[in-house]
Amino acid sequence: MTYPPGDVLLTVAETAMADRLTMEAGVPGVQLMEAAGLSIARKILDLYDQGPVMVLCGPGNNGGDGFVVARHLRAAGWPVELALLGKASRLRGDAAVMARRWREEAGDKIQELSPDVLKEDHRIIVDALFGAGLDRPLQGVAADVVMRANEMPAVRVAVDVPSGLEGDSGQVARDPKTGQGSCLDADVTVTFFRRKPGHVLYPGKNLCGDIFVTDIGISPRVLDDIAPLTAINTPRAWLDHFPWPVSSGHKYNRGHAIVMSGGLAHTGAARLAATAALRIGAGLCSVVCPENAVPAHAAQLTAVMVKPLDSAETFETLLRDERLNVWCVGPANGVDQVTWFRVLRVLSHNRHAVLDADALTVFQDNPEQLFGALQQEARQAVGAQAVLTPHDGEFARLFPDLSAKQPGYNKLRSARAAAERSGAVILLKGPDTVVAAPDGRALIAENAPPTLATAGSGDVLAGLVTGLLAQGMPAFEAAAAAVWCHGAAAVRFGPGLVSEDIAAQIPAVLNDLADQVK
């Protein structure tokens, strides 16, 4: 899959590859560094009024960028000081060249880095200590300086990523034994060519502040060689697959979605999912429920049909009906043998499936049983697809070794590993929801407002995925589209959102999407 170039996210290694390919094409590294530092200086000049600046430089290329920033701000007439972690005599390569230019053109000394170099009159602090490739926690003087910078009223501008932040994970680098770590809390981060996953995954997104991507002379053509697998979740990634109605169509060729319901006291989640499935375009949708729950559903559902489940034979009859092409199992279904049995039977009948909530937790003691059912040869032979939609807690129950509780956690890497292990598309929820496919493709959402943190929101999301799968949209694209539409609907509604409001906003979201394909 080729992502739109502007939406691509590059890992630290891929960013280094972009630099290397550019230099192999004839652009000297020192020219890239000069362009990077100049772009940061220009951004500072654009954003802020003139005032005293302290530039904090590290011993590598990130520090080299800092020397360039300092030189250009000084040339613009700004009062600039500079402090270096380590000795200037130990700098190598392009960073050494830029340190020499600073001394020659600015005619100013290089201070030794310490917390004392930060003064109350500094209005802007430029953090050029460590870049995205940092793989260890800040320690000693660097940690002390970052802590001091965070306490000051000055504006904090980070070069590439805030020092202490891991560029691939968005996590603060921490000591694996003590769990301690520190990171600059930036107001602005200026990065180059393309963003990194750490810029959009939490807590990195918050720690970066406002992010600006600048052009330093790397051609977008290098993306053809890098072939990145990660991007921001925007309609550009999946709109070509979206199942728009056609004039010759009818409800029966837009799929019949099934949502399994819990008992009488647990029916709301299924209604939220079923309504969402219809709103996103499924031709038909039915709630399958225990007989005692029929009155509750029938009293509140109109377009959604209600099918009573009075016996195991009835369940098998429904499963054999190939018109019922997608099954959503889990929302408020109960963590019990009944849910366990239903999941395995749906999968054994090779139906497309969306497994959420209780349909995941019920396998916490034997996740491999679920993965085996998802990957059985019969399902693969007919192209049956599945999407798992866990939040962090449910994810930890199925994939404890990949969970956020593990040292060195990387949400993107964990979602990818889970997709490969399970053979299903993983929709790992949160403010930075990651959708990952078994083949390594991944999209990260950045349009989810905090109002989505409300009861039932996940049930609506499961229903949106179900409705898109019912219409024949591929599982990865269906999951990604559902996540984006979910966020867009919440943004449209605004404050005071409850889960019932989300599906009602979907028609307006679809109208906006339709405008993009006209």
Side-chain angles (χ1 to χ4, degrees), residues 265-400:
H266 305 282
T267 59
R271 284 195 296 275
L272 288 170
T275 302
L278 273 187
R279 282 290 190 188
I280 203 72
L284 303 99
C285 184
S286 295
V287 166
V288 173
C289 63
E291 285 189 292
N292 70 346
V294 169
H297 285 305
Q300 298 192 53
L301 294 174
T302 49
V304 176
M305 295 175 283
V306 181
K307 296 183 182 297
L309 195 59
D310 55 7
S311 66
E313 289 75 17
T314 300
F315 185 43
E316 288 298 316
T317 299
L318 292 172
L319 285 171
R320 286 194 294 270
D321 189 341
E322 295 185 357
R323 297 171 299 177
L324 313 181
N325 60 333
V326 180
W327 289 65
C328 176
V329 188
N333 282 186
V335 183
D336 54 29
Q337 285 292 108
V338 174
T339 300
W340 171 84
F341 173 78
R342 289 174 179 172
V343 171
L344 294 180
R345 294 307 298 158
V346 167
L347 296 179
S348 70
H349 277 267
N350 303 324
R351 294 290 175 257
H352 299 319
V354 176
L355 304 182
D356 182 44
D358 295 341
L360 304 175
T361 298
V362 75
F363 289 95
Q364 63 185 335
D365 293 331
N366 190 2
E368 294 300 327
Q369 185 180 42
L370 173 61
F371 305 155
L374 288 165
Q375 297 173 33
Q376 58 188 320
E377 291 184 9
R379 287 184 61 79
Q380 296 174 357
V382 299
Q385 300 182 81
V387 179
L388 312 187
T389 62
H391 56 54
D392 283 343
E394 291 156 352
F395 185 85
R397 293 168 197 145
L398 290 183
F399 308 97

Side-chain angles (χ1 to χ4, degrees), residues 416-479:
R416 276 199 172 106
E420 182 180 12
R421 183 182 301 177
S422 66
V425 170
I426 297 292
L427 191 164
L428 181 50
K429 293 183 285 198
D432 51 359
T433 295
V434 175
V435 177
D439 62 10
R441 291 174 295 159
L443 294 168
I444 304 175
E446 62 172 359
N447 73 327
T451 52
L452 276 175
T454 184
S457 174
D459 303 318
V460 176
L461 179 56
L464 294 175
V465 181
T466 302
L468 291 171
L469 274 175
Q471 298 168 76
M473 196 174 188
F476 176 72
E477 287 80 8

Side-chain angles (χ1 to χ4, degrees), residues 134-188:
L134 183 73
D135 58 359
R136 62 186 185 281
L138 295 182
Q139 296 177 331
V141 171
D144 294 340
V145 168
V146 163
M147 291 176 64
R148 166 72 174 150
N150 285 341
E151 295 169 353
M152 293 182 63
V155 170
R156 294 175 290 274
V157 178
V159 176
D160 193 22
V161 298
S163 290
L165 187 72
E166 296 175 347
D168 284 345
S169 70
Q171 298 290 314
V172 175
R174 300 184 183 278
D175 186 301
K177 294 182 179 179
T178 66
Q180 298 298 308
S182 56
C183 181
L184 187 88
D185 189 354
D187 297 289
V188 165

Side-chain angles (χ1 to χ4, degrees), residues 229-230 411-421 436-438 440-442:
L229 291 173
T230 310
K411 183 172 185 175
L412 176 61
R413 184 175 61 211
S414 289
R416 276 199 172 106
E420 182 180 12
R421 183 182 301 177
R441 291 174 295 159

Side-chain angles (χ1 to χ4, degrees), residues 52 69 89 98 125 134-135 148 170 201 203 208 224 262 269 315 329:
V69 175
S89 59
M98 295 310 179
I125 299 169
L134 183 73
D135 58 359
R148 166 72 174 150
L201 293 169
C208 288
D224 294 335
F315 185 43
V329 188

